[in-house]
Amino acid sequence: MHYRRHAVVALLCLGLLSGTAIARQDTSAVPAHRFFHVQLGAASAQPTSGRLLLFAIEAKTAEVEAKADSDGKSNVVDEVDANPFRATETSVAAREVSRWMPGQSIDVDADRLAFPAGWSQLPPGDYYMQAVLDVDHSYNYTGRGAGDLVSDVVKVHLPTASIPTLTLVKALPARDPWVVPASAPAPMREAVAAARQHATLVDFTSPALSAFWGRPIHMRGWVLTPPGYDAKSSKRYPVVYYTQGFGGNNDRVMGPLSNVNAAMAKGEMPPMIWVFLDESSPTGTHEFADSVNNGPWGRALTEELIPRLESQYRMDGRPNGRFLNGHSSGGWATLWLQTRYPKIFGGTWSTSPDPSDFHDFTGIDLYAPNANAYHRPDGSAYPLVRDHAKVLGTFEQFAKLERVLGSYGGQLASFDWVFSPRGKDGQPEPMFDRDTGAVDPVVVAYWRDHYDIAWRLQREWPQLKADLDGKIHLYVGTADTFYLDGAAHKLQAVLDGLHAKSEFHFLSDRTHFDLYKQGGDRQGLLKQISWEMYAAARPDSKLKPLAAATP
């Protein structure tokens, strides 16, 4: 699970603007349900389709947050978005639209498909609103992005005697991921520019995935070569395959890539080749698992892409020179790849991985009789998001917000696309009922038999031990934001019970977001991990890390 820098779940969902538009109101009577007109204005000159989303937040709340975000400089609001870290603060309504003609106005019933409740239940008062047309149904994964159509932020008083109208006025532009805003600190701009010189785009059409889908499917990523790399030299390098967390993609990895490049250039990390793999897809993260819904991503990586890369770059090309590192959903992917293909990889350093033992699926025992994803047996709600001891959102809130934003691409739907059997309608069977939270034991049995890592290790350890023993390294915070430390404890207990060699590190009071911080270095853990990998690949090397500067 990874929700950072992801507009749908952004920690900073409110920004600043020089002024606020006022919604035009017509004289139509307001029905019992709360309706809104949305007009396709200058945002598009062509017919368009997508998922139309309406967002509303209480005006005083938005202004207070805008002022805090601007260090007290302004209380002007220029964006209204959902934020599960403040789950019920923003109301969301949705409607699917097709062949929407320029200038045409359509109605949105904000009580029909809404979160956290129908908008007719909103307390009277002033609200800021914004409309967004998610043209490619990617909002659950990336939030609003290039090509999406948006309205201005408008201020309305609810309830009204008339139906407010919002107009989509612009299409969001594409951006070059390598271009850093001029307002960014100079060292950041310099680091990104330097990294670009050593990074090469991966765009590989997979025969296996293309055959599964019946159309060309591309595997994407970036290859980062170390300082002094010479393609004509006989020197070879260990390789790290880095998998991104939920919300990551090829355009959102420049930060980690630049950090690694800068650290290698300073001698704070050893010289290795890093392959930053994009594990995003229209259905969410495919996590490099072979799936009846997403296709054979693990096989495509290990049998197609890795051999292709090793034929193009000076890579070790042997198990003790191939390593895995990933965080959150990327952490689960690396655990899965290491345990599924133990002969190929020399070790995984997985951080804050998604649940690896489904006895603790963010705190929920999926195998319990009459299991429910929303409520404990005593009726209390299962939390999903926390800030240390403070609960920020429940599993039910998260699931129901995700359903309004779209039927696929979200974190919970993504699990179904990876783990579930395919239903008669061609869609993955849901693990739990989105209305009631009831867990489907038949689907859970399929999850267990195919993707419960602890279950698989327990059953197949005699066959796996020779190739896997000592290769699992896991780090997680004891205050993990999404309660992922629970499953890690259970996985450790399974491996300890098997007398397996493994390393588990539970970092005291660390969350999902500060796990890598050591002293003043926010990437300290990654640097430590890189040297552990290098020592495994080059046990006789005298190369040692240079001390990182502490700000």
Side-chain angles (χ1 to χ4, degrees), residues 39 42 56 59 92 120 171-172 249 274 278 282 316 336 423 434 474 495 537:
Q39 186 174 35
V92 188
S120 62
L172 296 178
N249 61 28
W274 286 70
D278 185 345
D316 273 3
W336 174 254
R434 265 47 176 186
L474 191 150
L495 287 168

Side-chain angles (χ1 to χ4, degrees), residues 105-123:
S105 180
I106 65 173
D107 290 339
V108 177
D109 181 349
D111 279 75
R112 183 175 182 180
L113 182 58
F115 174 86
W119 287 25
S120 62
Q121 299 179 40
L122 287 174

Side-chain angles (χ1 to χ4, degrees), residues 358-376:
F358 297 156
H359 286 95
D360 191 324
F361 194 79
T362 66
I364 305 163
D365 183 355
L366 299 184
Y367 302 129
N370 303 311
N372 189 289
Y374 293 166
H375 303 109
R376 299 184 179 96

Side-chain angles (χ1 to χ4, degrees), residues 426-446:
Q427 300 295 303
E429 294 280 3
M431 183 271 285
F432 67 97
D433 185 288
R434 265 47 176 186
D435 289 320
T436 67
V439 169
D440 187 330
V442 175
V443 175
V444 167
Y446 184 93

